[in-house]
C-alpha cells in the first residue's frame, strides 16, 4: 500500500469515468433499446453496461496488470474481494434510471486495498458531476459552469450541523429488486415506521429519497445533502467508490443490520451517515432501534 501512487490511480479513474460517461450519453438510452434481465424483470442489464465495463476493465488491466478486477457484469457468484489491490467497478450504477432517461445514473470506480475502499470516483454524465476521494486525502465534487470546472471539498458545508436524530433527517433508501419475502417486508415496514407520525409510533423523518443509484446516494450523504442512506441487497461495486468518498468527507459506514459497526465491503447491508461534529453513532442506534428484531438476509 505504501508504494501505491493513489493520486495517479485517482487520475486514471477520473479519465476513464469521463470516457465511460461519453459512451453512456452517446448510447440510445431511453429509446427502447435491447435490455436483458438477471434475477427478475427489474434487475436489468443493457449492452451499454457491458460495453462500458469492457472498456474500463481492458484499460485498467493494461495500466495496472498486477491488480485484481471485480466488475458487476463479469462477476461470478461466490467470488469475494481479496486483500490485494482490487478495482471494484460498476459501469452503470442506476441502470433502471438509465433506461428511463431519469438523469441519475453514474459510473462508479473504486479501488479496495486490504478490502478497504481506498480510492473512489463517481461520475454522473447526465448532470456532469464528478465525485472523488482518496484515503487520507479528502473528497471533492467537481461541477462545470460556463465551461469552467468548479471543484468543492466535501462535505459542501464547511461547518456541518450536528445530527439531532431521525426526526429532522432526510434519508436515502431503495426498494431493490426483491419484491417479496423477508427483505422486502422488512424494508416496507421500516419505511412505514420511519415516515409515520410520532402519534402513531413512527419517527416522522423529514422524508425518504431514492436516487436509484447506491453510488449517488452515498455521494449525496458525503456531500451532506442527505443525512443517511440505508440499503440491503446491493453489491461491493455499488458502494466501494462511494464508501471511500463518504469516509473522506467525515461520514461513517455502519452495517444495515443492528449491532454491526464494521460492515464488510461485500457484506451487502449498509447504513451510511454524513459527516457531523456530533450525533453520528446516536442516529445509527436510533435507526437500528427502528429495525428492531428484523434482519436483512442478503448473503455475500
Ligand atoms: C442498483 C442501484 C440501486 C440499488 C440496487 C443496485 P445497478 O445498481 O444501485 O440503487 O438499490 O441494489 O443493484 O443494478 O443499477 O447497477
Amino acid at each position: 500500500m505504501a508504494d501505491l501512487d493513489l493520486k495517479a490511480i485517482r487520475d486514471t479513474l477520473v479519465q476513464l469515468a469521463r470516457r465511460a460517461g461519453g459512451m453512456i450519453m452517446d448510447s440510445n438510452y431511453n429509446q427502447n433499446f435491447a435490455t436483458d434481465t438477471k434475477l427478475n424483470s427489474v434487475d436489468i442489464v443493457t449492452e451499454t453496461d457491458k460495453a462500458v465495463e469492457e472498456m474500463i476493465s481492458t484499460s485498467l488491466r493494461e495500466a495496472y496488470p498486477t491488480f485484481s478486477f471485480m466488475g458487476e457484469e463479469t462477476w461470478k457468484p461466490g467470488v469475494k474481494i481479496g486483500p490485494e489491490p482490487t478495482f471494484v467497478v460498476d459501469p452503470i450504477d442506476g441502470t433502471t434510471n438509465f433506461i428511463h432517461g431519469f438523469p441519475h445514473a453514474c459510473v462508479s470506480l473504486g479501488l479496495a486495498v486490504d478490502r478497504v475502499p481506498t480510492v473512489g470516483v463517481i461520475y454522473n454524465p447526465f448532470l456532469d458531476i464528478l465525485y472523488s476521494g482518496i484515503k487520507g486525502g479528502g473528497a471533492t465534487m467537481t461541477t462545470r459552469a460556463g465551461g469552467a470546472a468548479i471543484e468543492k471539498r466535501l462535505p459542501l458545508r464547511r461547518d456541518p450541523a450536528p445530527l439531532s436524530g431521525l426526526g429532522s433527517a432526510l434519508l436515502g433508501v431503495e426498494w431493490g429488486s426483491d419484491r417479496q419475502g423477508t427483505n422486502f417486508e422488512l424494508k416496507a415496514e421500516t419505511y412505514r415506521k420511519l415516515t409515520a407520525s410520532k402519534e402513531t409510533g413512527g419517527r416522522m423523518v423529514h422524508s425518504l429519497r431514492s436516487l436509484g443509484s447506491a453510488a449517488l446516494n452515498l455521494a449525496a450523504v458525503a456531500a451532506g445533502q442527505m443525512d443517511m442512506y440505508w440499503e440491503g441487497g446491493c453489491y461491493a461495486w455499488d458502494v466501494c467508490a462511494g464508501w471511500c468518498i463518504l469516509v473522506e468527507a467525515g461520514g461513517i459506514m455502519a452495517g444495515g443490520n443492528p449491532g454491526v459497526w464494521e460492515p464488510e465491503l461485500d457484506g451487502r447491508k449498509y447504513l451510511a451517515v454524513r459527516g457531523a461534529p456530533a450525533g453520528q453513532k446516536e442516529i445509527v442506534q436510533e435507526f437500528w432501534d427502528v429495525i428492531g428484531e428484523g434482519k436483512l438476509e442478503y448473503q455475500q
Side-chain angles (χ1 to χ4, degrees), residues 72 90 92-96 174 176 212-214 231 233-234 238:
E72 174 171 21
D90 192 343
I92 304 181
D93 188 44
T95 303
T96 304
E174 292 289 338
S213 150
E231 166 104 49
C234 57
D238 297 307

Side-chain angles (χ1 to χ4, degrees), residues 80 178 183 186-187 214 218 229-236 238-239 243 252-272 284 287-288 291 294-300:
K80 302 193 46 160
D178 281 359
N183 291 320
L186 178 64
K187 285 183 183 177
L218 287 172
Y229 167 54
W230 181 56
E231 166 104 49
C234 57
Y235 290 85
D238 297 307
V239 298
W243 186 331
I252 60 169
M253 184 71 99
N257 275 334
V260 181
W261 285 107
E262 296 199 359
E264 291 183 12
L265 178 53
D266 46 16
R268 303 190 64 202
K269 301 166 282 275
Y270 313 96
L271 180 60
V284 167
F287 190 98
W288 285 343
I291 299 180
K295 249 183 189 273
L296 292 168
E297 290 178 348
Y298 297 98
Q299 299 305 316
Q300 288 182 336

Side-chain angles (χ1 to χ4, degrees), residues 9 13 60 70 86-90 108-112 117-121 237 240-242 244:
I9 294 170
L13 294 181
L60 287 176
M70 175 184 275
T86 304
F87 289 113
V88 187
V89 167
D90 192 343
S108 176
L109 306 178
L111 174 74
T118 302
V119 180
V121 170
W237 47 79
C240 184
C244 174

Side-chain angles (χ1 to χ4, degrees), residues 10-279:
R10 191 269 317 269
D11 292 347
T12 302
L13 294 181
V14 167
Q15 262 183 8
L16 283 176
R18 289 197 181 278
R19 194 164 143 205
M23 291 171 72
I24 290 170
M25 298 312 287
D26 275 349
S27 71
N28 290 326
Y29 70 88
N30 203 16
Q31 304 279 324
N32 282 332
F33 65 116
T35 60
D36 211 345
T37 55
K38 296 188 270 189
L39 291 178
N40 59 30
S41 63
V42 296
D43 188 12
I44 300 161
V45 60
T46 71
E47 286 310 314
T48 310
D49 293 73
K50 293 177 193 166
V52 170
E53 181 163 321
E54 171 72 23
M55 182 280 285
I56 290 170
S57 64
T58 305
S59 307
L60 287 176
R61 284 192 172 105
E62 266 170 38
Y64 295 96
T66 60
F67 289 18
S68 293
F69 179 90
M70 175 184 275
E72 174 171 21
E73 309 312 335
T74 45
W75 175 75
K76 299 274 179 288
V79 174
K80 302 193 46 160
I81 297 175
E84 74 283 7
T86 304
F87 289 113
V88 187
V89 167
D90 192 343
I92 304 181
D93 188 44
T95 303
T96 304
N97 288 342
F98 169 67
I99 65 165
H100 287 270
F102 187 69
H104 296 276
C106 63
V107 186
S108 176
L109 306 178
L111 174 74
V113 180
D114 283 329
R115 302 185 182 87
V116 174
T118 302
V119 180
V121 170
I122 295 172
Y123 180 53
N124 176 348
F126 289 87
L127 302 183
D128 196 2
I129 303 180
L130 186 134
Y131 303 88
S132 81
I134 296 178
K135 189 162 184 271
T140 58
M141 178 179 103
T142 307
T143 52
R144 269 193 249 244
I150 300 169
E151 186 175 283
K152 295 194 168 159
R153 282 193 83 78
L154 299 181
L156 293 172
R157 266 185 72 161
R158 290 221 178 121
D159 58 341
L163 287 155
S164 54
L166 288 176
S168 55
L170 184 65
L171 276 81
V173 295
E174 292 289 338
W175 287 101
S177 51
D178 281 359
R179 301 298 167 85
Q180 61 179 38
T182 313
N183 291 320
F184 179 72
E185 298 302 334
L186 178 64
K187 285 183 183 177
E189 180 57 10
T190 303
Y191 301 162
R192 194 194 66 74
K193 288 186 194 160
L194 287 169
T195 51
S197 70
K198 295 206 165 134
E199 292 76 15
T200 60
R203 302 295 169 134
M204 203 151 172
V205 298
H206 274 186
S207 200
L208 303 181
R209 296 285 179 268
S210 294
L211 292 183
S213 150
L216 291 176
N217 282 313
L218 287 172
V221 177
Q225 296 159 329
M226 292 199 294
D227 297 294
M228 300 178 93
Y229 167 54
W230 181 56
E231 166 104 49
C234 57
Y235 290 85
W237 47 79
D238 297 307
V239 298
C240 184
W243 186 331
C244 174
I245 294 165
L246 172 78
V247 170
E248 287 307 312
I252 60 169
M253 184 71 99
N257 275 334
V260 181
W261 285 107
E262 296 199 359
E264 291 183 12
L265 178 53
D266 46 16
R268 303 190 64 202
K269 301 166 282 275
Y270 313 96
L271 180 60
V273 180
R274 71 166 168 84

